């Protein structure tokens, strides 16, 4: 029995932690005296060990034993020991959270890797090896595109071509379809030594975006109808959602939440291959029933006096019913419940893979496109083609949901003086980074921001840069807002402006929270492999 992937440190509390592993065969995984038996999915084996009995405010080194034999750390590892750093009274109001999205793996092809540039998360891992544990961040938040199931590396393409040679055209040679093929993607992306080590020692929260499944996933009802006609799609969506549940979702849950989860209990106790349960789970997650999805992937972490709520803005979409919502009613109700009592909190942070606040001119373009695509005839068909070609499917293209989320954020920001000092939305996806401040008419206690960090490791096409620069132009924003209003867009309850950026290139960001103060720092790798600060923006101490 050997370790294939992991350990990945996931949810961490004051005295508990969740550690995820993938093993080569079935067996028992033990960490710090706590153990779990593996479960099986199509011949692959996984476990989540709920570590208990830790002391608050401590950093505890740990090892992974498989059937009693040490499997981690690996012999002669150049990295420091993996640790579990718990929270507690001394850190209740002081946190550093690093975040980013869109990390394409190294390919081994020099031409492609040179084009991609240095991996910002790799560089951050290297930095941590030279810092004392006390200076390490409290959490890592990955905001989508952890794997690229639709933009395959040359190695994966060659592998799929060999597997598909005798499939008689039933499955395309350049599409990931099966769970085993997704397993290969995760092993490639997470097997990088620096990435594997940093995931073993920083509590990591994850939410997916489109490339984890397929580009433009759930863009519109038309897109869903078209993709569902493809004979291989049902296998693809089952594999994609089931692998996300195994590799990413389970670790987002606390030990109590995981123990109470009926799907996890069914899979854990299957006594053999649990794929039939996961296939049913994936079908339920993908289907719309009474205006809602059958599974919620959104989740919440509390770090002392700060609350982090990660919102699923991809799979939770409601499209088939004609309502066109980013979140169904039940999911929106859950979000409202998480924000229902925020008194005594210093900071509220929402995570959405897709930005809530885009460059204003681009947001207006998406809103106008939604209005046009809702029309019948040639105009509606043309607008739908433009929507899919130009990726016009962010919150601004779901105007009903945009307004509802905006009203919710403004309500939280309007809490009395003992409410939060900031309400912040973290996002990725758009291959440029920025910090935007929302302006709300009237008096509001909390500062409201949109922070975007993208990509961590990916190529930024040259044409993107002038488009996004123009999107932030105040003059362009005034013109597009008038245009959108004439086309039927409602009046927006807020306005927003860019505090810094747009920043292009591979980037990692840190949200620093101390008491009721907050700031964001953007860093980028340079030729030496070191990270260089490119922007530091206060989120509270300005007029």
């Amino acid at each position: 029995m050997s370790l294939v992937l992991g350990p990945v440190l996931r949810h961490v509390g004051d005295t508990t932690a969740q550690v995820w592993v993938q093993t080569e065969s079935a067996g028992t995984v033990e960490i710090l005296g706590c153990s779990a038996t593996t479960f099986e999915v199509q011949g692959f084996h996984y476990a989540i060990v709920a570590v208990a009995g830790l002391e608050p405010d401590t950093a505890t080194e740990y090892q992974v034993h498989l059937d009693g034999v040490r499997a981690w750390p690996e012999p002669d590892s150049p990295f420091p020991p993996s640790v579990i750093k718990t929270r507690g009274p001394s850190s209740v109001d002081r946190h550093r959270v690093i975040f980013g999205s869109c990390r394409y793996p190294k390919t081994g092809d020099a031409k492609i890797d040179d084009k991609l540039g240095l991996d910002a998360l790799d560089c951050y891992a290297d930095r941590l090896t030279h810092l004392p544990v006390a200076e390490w961040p409290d959490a890592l938040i990955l905001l989508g595109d952890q794997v690229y199931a639709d933009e395959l590396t040359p190695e994966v393409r060659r592998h799929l071509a060999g597997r598909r040679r005798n499939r008689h055209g039933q499955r395309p040679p350049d599409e990931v379809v099966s769970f085993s093929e997704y397993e290969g993607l995760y092993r490639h992306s997470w097997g990088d030594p620096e990435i594997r080590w940093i995931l073993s020692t920083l509590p990591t929260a994850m939410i997916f975006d489109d490339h984890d499944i397929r580009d433009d996933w759930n863009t519109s009802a038309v897109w869903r109808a078209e993709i569902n006609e493809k004979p291989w799609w049902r296998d693809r969506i089952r594999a994609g959602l089931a692998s996300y549940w195994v590799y990413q979702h389970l670790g987002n849950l606390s030990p109590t939440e995981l123990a109470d989860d009926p799907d996890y209990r069914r899979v854990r106790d299957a006594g053999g291959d649990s794929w039939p349960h996961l296939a049913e789970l994936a079908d339920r997650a993908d289907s719309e029933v009474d205006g809602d999805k059958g599974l919620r992937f959104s989740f919440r972490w509390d770090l002392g006096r700060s609350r982090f709520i990660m919102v699923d803005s991809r799979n939770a979409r409601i499209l088939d019913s004609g309502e066109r919502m980013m979140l169904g009613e039940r999911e929106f109700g859950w979000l409202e419940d998480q924000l229902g009592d925020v008194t005594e909190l210093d900071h509220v942070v929402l995570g959405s893979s897709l930005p809530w606040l885009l460059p204003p001119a681009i947001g207006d373009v998406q809103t106008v496109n939604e209005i046009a695509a809702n029309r019948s005839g040639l105009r509606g068909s043309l607008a739908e083609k433009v929507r899919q070609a130009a990726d016009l499917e962010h919150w601004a293209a779901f105007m009903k949901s945009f307004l509802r989320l905006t009203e919710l954020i403004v309500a939280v920001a309007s809490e009395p003086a003992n409410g939060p000092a900031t309400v912040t939305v973290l996002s990725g996806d758009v291959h440029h980074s920025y910090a935007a401040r929302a302006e709300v008419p009237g008096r509001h206690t909390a500062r409201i921001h949109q922070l975007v960090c993208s990509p961590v490791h990916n190529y930024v096409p040259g044409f993107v840069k002038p488009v996004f620069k123009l999107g932030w132009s105040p003059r362009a924003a005034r013109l597009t807002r008038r245009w959108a209003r004439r086309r039927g867009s409602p009046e927006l309850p807020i306005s927003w402006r860019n505090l810094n950026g747009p920043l292009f290139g591979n980037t990692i960001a840190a949200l620093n929270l101390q008491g009721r103060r907050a700031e964001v720092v953007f860093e980028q790798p340079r030729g030496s492999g070191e990270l260089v600060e490119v922007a530091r923006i206060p989120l509270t101490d300005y007029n």
Side-chain angles (χ1 to χ4, degrees):
M1 186 180 184
S2 60
L3 204 58
V4 175
L5 268 186
V8 182
L9 182 61
R10 302 303 307 278
H11 184 281
V12 173
D14 289 358
T15 61
T16 63
Q18 301 274 62
V19 182
W20 178 98
V21 297
Q22 179 181 346
T23 62
E24 182 267 337
S25 58
T28 300
V29 184
E30 182 180 345
I31 299 172
L32 295 175
C34 301
S35 63
T37 303
T38 58
F39 61 88
E40 179 186 349
V41 185
Q42 294 192 355
F44 302 101
H45 303 272
Y46 308 90
I48 290 192
V49 180
V51 180
L54 300 170
E55 292 293 327
D57 285 322
T58 58
T60 305
E61 295 182 12
Y62 73 91
Q63 300 175 347
V64 178
H65 290 81
L66 305 180
D67 286 342
V69 179
R70 196 186 87 173
W72 184 270
E74 296 177 320
D76 303 319
S77 170
F79 299 101
S82 300
V83 303
I84 300 173
K85 191 168 77 167
T86 56
R87 302 191 297 272
S90 70
S91 58
V92 70
D93 63 350
R94 185 180 68 256
H95 305 288
R96 179 186 299 118
V97 174
I98 61 172
F99 66 96
S101 77
C102 310
R103 182 184 169 271
Y104 197 80
K106 300 182 185 72
T107 68
D109 184 314
K111 184 177 180 180
I112 297 175
D113 289 342
D114 287 347
K115 185 178 181 180
L116 291 170
L118 293 169
D119 186 329
L121 193 56
D122 257 10
C123 295
Y124 204 96
D126 183 66
R127 171 190 286 177
L128 291 191
T129 64
H130 300 96
L131 292 177
V133 174
E135 297 181 23
W136 291 3
D138 299 285
L140 165 64
I141 297 178
L142 300 177
L143 290 159
D145 298 343
Q146 276 69 265
V147 294
Y148 280 75
D150 54 343
E151 296 179 8
L152 305 178
T153 66
E155 177 186 347
V156 174
R157 289 182 183 276
R158 289 191 296 270
H159 178 66
L160 288 185
R163 289 171 59 90
R164 300 286 163 76
R165 192 167 293 132
N166 298 316
R167 293 277 186 178
H168 306 293
Q170 291 301 308
R171 295 182 174 185
D174 58 348
E175 294 280 2
V176 171
V177 174
S178 68
F179 185 92
S180 66
E181 290 163 358
Y182 262 99
E183 187 273 343
L185 293 181
Y186 280 102
R187 185 156 28 88
H188 185 186
S189 184
W190 291 6
D192 178 286
E194 290 81 7
I195 300 304
R196 191 173 181 185
W197 176 77
I198 197 172
L199 292 179
S200 78
T201 205
L202 288 187
T204 304
M206 306 178 187
I207 199 72
F208 50 13
D209 200 24
D210 56 342
H211 291 288
D212 292 82
I213 303 295
R214 196 175 194 269
D215 188 29
D216 297 338
W217 176 36
N218 283 346
T219 289
S220 64
V222 172
W223 186 92
R224 278 178 63 88
E226 291 172 350
I227 201 73
N228 275 314
E229 290 297 317
K230 298 186 182 297
W232 48 268
W233 177 250
R234 183 47 41 193
D235 289 338
R236 166 66 165 270
I237 193 64
R238 282 175 173 166
L241 289 173
S243 61
Y244 173 80
W245 187 86
V246 170
Y247 282 85
Q248 299 193 50
H249 175 66
L250 288 181
N252 291 328
L253 306 179
S254 70
T256 300
E257 290 171 326
L258 189 65
D260 292 341
D261 187 284
D263 289 316
Y264 175 66
R265 291 200 302 268
R266 290 173 64 197
V267 168
R268 181 196 60 194
D269 299 336
D273 185 5
S274 61
W275 175 249
H277 300 301
L278 287 176
E280 183 276 330
L281 177 152
D283 286 344
R284 183 165 20 104
D286 183 55
S287 300
E288 294 180 20
V289 178
D290 297 329
D292 273 294
K293 290 296 183 65
L295 193 64
R296 173 171 53 80
F297 291 119
S298 301
F299 62 96
R300 163 182 151 186
W301 284 14
D302 284 344
L303 275 67
R305 292 175 58 86
S306 297
R307 178 165 298 169
F308 291 76
I309 303 168
M310 301 297 113
V311 179
D312 168 18
S313 51
R314 272 294 170 189
N315 187 70
R317 298 178 180 192
I318 302 303
L319 301 167
D320 296 343
S321 66
E323 285 293 315
R324 189 168 172 78
M325 296 185 291
M326 190 69 84
L327 309 176
E329 289 294 337
R330 188 164 57 243
E331 188 108 356
F332 244 124
W334 174 87
L335 178 58
E336 290 165 348
D337 288 343
Q338 309 315 303
L339 296 172
D341 182 11
V342 295
T343 57
E344 309 304 327
L345 290 178
D346 289 330
H347 305 280
V348 171
V349 182
L350 302 178
S352 166
S353 64
L354 300 165
W356 163 54
L357 301 179
L358 286 167
I362 294 174
D364 285 330
V365 168
Q366 296 208 16
T367 300
V368 171
N369 175 264
E370 180 187 36
I371 294 169
N374 285 338
R375 295 177 177 174
S376 58
L378 181 61
R379 181 178 294 182
S381 298
L382 179 60
E384 178 62 36
K385 291 182 184 299
V386 171
R387 168 194 279 163
Q388 294 190 28
D391 293 342
L392 306 182
E393 38 90 39
H394 295 73
W395 283 90
F398 288 74
M399 182 50 66
K400 178 180 177 181
S401 297
F402 174 88
L403 293 173
R404 186 169 177 178
L405 179 63
T406 300
E407 291 169 359
L408 182 56
I409 289 172
V410 170
V412 173
S414 304
E415 289 287 336
N418 61 339
T422 67
V423 182
T424 306
V425 180
L426 308 182
S427 301
D429 179 68
V430 291
H431 284 213
H432 75 293
S433 301
Y434 59 89
R437 178 186 176 185
E439 308 281 356
V440 185
R443 180 182 179 276
H444 295 276
T445 304
R447 307 276 193 173
I448 304 174
H449 297 91
Q450 167 75 75
L451 306 179
V452 174
C453 182
S454 167
V456 168
H457 186 232
N458 210 326
Y459 170 64
V460 180
F463 73 87
V464 166
K465 298 178 181 180
V467 170
F468 282 116
K469 287 179 180 178
L470 180 62
W472 283 111
S473 162
R475 182 179 181 185
R478 288 192 294 271
L479 292 173
T480 58
R481 184 87 293 261
R482 287 198 293 269
W483 172 53
R485 291 286 288 142
R486 287 198 299 269
R487 296 298 181 187
S489 170
E491 189 68 45
L492 301 182
I494 63 170
S495 61
W496 59 97
R497 60 185 176 88
N498 203 4
L499 297 177
N500 190 278
L503 301 170
F504 298 102
N506 294 336
T507 308
I508 195 78
L511 177 63
N512 298 323
L513 307 174
Q514 185 161 3
R516 295 182 66 78
R517 300 177 63 185
E519 68 173 7
V520 63
V521 180
F522 294 97
E523 297 182 285
Q524 295 182 335
R526 291 296 182 255
S528 62
E530 296 181 354
L531 288 167
V532 176
E533 183 179 309
V534 292
R536 182 181 293 266
I537 305 150
L539 304 179
T540 47
D541 298 332
Y542 61 85
N543 295 322

